[in-house]
Amino acid sequence: MLRQEARAYASFPREFMQDTVAAEGDCDGAGGAGAEGSGADGVAESDQREDEEVGKVPEPVGECAASQGASSQKADETDSSGRNDASTAQPESAAGKTCAPPARLVTIPAVVPKFYGYYAPAKADGTPEDYSHAEHGCGLDSECRVAWWTSILLVEECGSDIDPYNHSRAERMACLELIERLHAAGYTHNSTYVRNMLVQPGPLSAPRGERSMDCPSFRIIDFGRCKASARGRDDWVFKMEKLHDRRHAERDLRL
């Protein structure tokens, strides 16, 4: 399962692993923004799009755009008496450009911990000695002793599992929204229990000493059963898995 979890982390879009800031209105389906090229098969497309956009300078939010037909507009705004109609006049900067109001910026929280790599011991010839318990008769969830060095999945420390009774409904809904963002990006978790939902003091943008549980930060973990919809699976199977995810999450979160 550790190997499967590493595959899931490697396929997640980058915005899943860090808080991002966007203009309000651009964050619909955040995290699913990569849904078009989501899943393990969509990572290459996402990277290609990013490479194509390198060097492009984004237009700043609220930048003054040159007004079109300024002279004709002024003529229309001037009545027969030669006075400007204040109710229709548009605000202009000193440079004579119409200015759009600045957009409100919002923070889109990460969904999963940051992924630092999957490490397996190497054989004498340099190839990874990556054994699976299932290959040696162990059950999927069983604990057993093995005669080899185990692999390591290295991810960000994101706190402890949540207790629904210690969080408001809005905070519990925030956890459910992380699950829905996974779905929007084309993934199902298949183990949406509160033991797989972590909380830590926030906001993470603040220095560690200034963070508190008054502004908690949540993450989803344990992707050993995670599946991507872009692997030739039937749509109805994906829909049923999403429904299963949501029902388990709502039950455990007391929603």
Side-chain angles (χ1 to χ4, degrees), residues 23-24 60-65 90-91 97-105:
E24 191 173 28
V61 177
E63 178 70 14
C64 293
Q90 299 294 325
K97 301 176 182 179
T98 58
C99 296
R104 177 174 174 267
L105 299 179

Side-chain angles (χ1 to χ4, degrees), residues 79-244:
D79 59 16
S80 58
S81 62
R83 293 175 299 175
N84 289 335
D85 187 352
S87 63
T88 59
Q90 299 294 325
E92 293 188 357
S93 66
K97 301 176 182 179
T98 58
C99 296
R104 177 174 174 267
L105 299 179
V106 294
T107 300
I108 305 169
V111 179
V112 303
K114 293 178 181 176
F115 174 58
Y116 298 115
Y118 177 63
Y119 301 89
K123 299 178 183 177
D125 60 0
T127 57
E129 193 174 9
D130 190 17
Y131 296 110
S132 169
H133 288 232
E135 297 168 0
H136 293 76
C138 301
L140 188 63
D141 296 314
S142 62
E143 295 182 3
C144 56
R145 295 185 177 274
V146 295
W148 60 85
W149 291 100
T150 57
S151 302
I152 297 174
L153 181 72
L154 189 58
V155 297
E156 177 187 17
E157 170 62 45
C158 289
S160 56
D161 53 312
I162 70 170
D163 182 349
Y165 295 103
N166 292 337
H167 295 279
S168 66
R169 179 177 178 82
E171 291 171 346
R172 286 177 280 142
M173 284 298 298
C175 293
L176 183 61
E177 287 172 5
L178 297 184
I179 299 293
E180 292 176 343
R181 285 175 60 191
L182 278 174
H183 294 166
Y187 297 92
T188 51
H189 188 279
N190 297 303
S191 186
T192 51
Y193 301 99
V194 290
R195 65 173 181 265
N196 295 326
M197 303 175 193
L198 302 184
V199 61
Q200 62 182 319
L204 300 186
S205 57
R208 188 174 297 273
E210 298 178 8
R211 301 174 190 174
S212 74
M213 291 303 292
D214 291 335
C215 185
S217 175
F218 301 99
R219 296 290 187 273
I220 305 298
I221 61 166
D222 193 356
F223 294 94
R225 292 183 175 84
C226 178
K227 295 180 182 178
S229 64
R231 292 188 174 177
R233 303 178 356 170
D234 295 333
D235 286 343
W236 71 270
V237 175
F238 182 58
K239 290 178 180 178
M240 290 301 295
E241 288 178 350
K242 287 196 297 182
L243 181 62
H244 182 270

Side-chain angles (χ1 to χ4, degrees), residues 65-73 96 98:
S67 57
Q68 301 294 327
S71 58
S72 60
Q73 181 181 359
T98 58

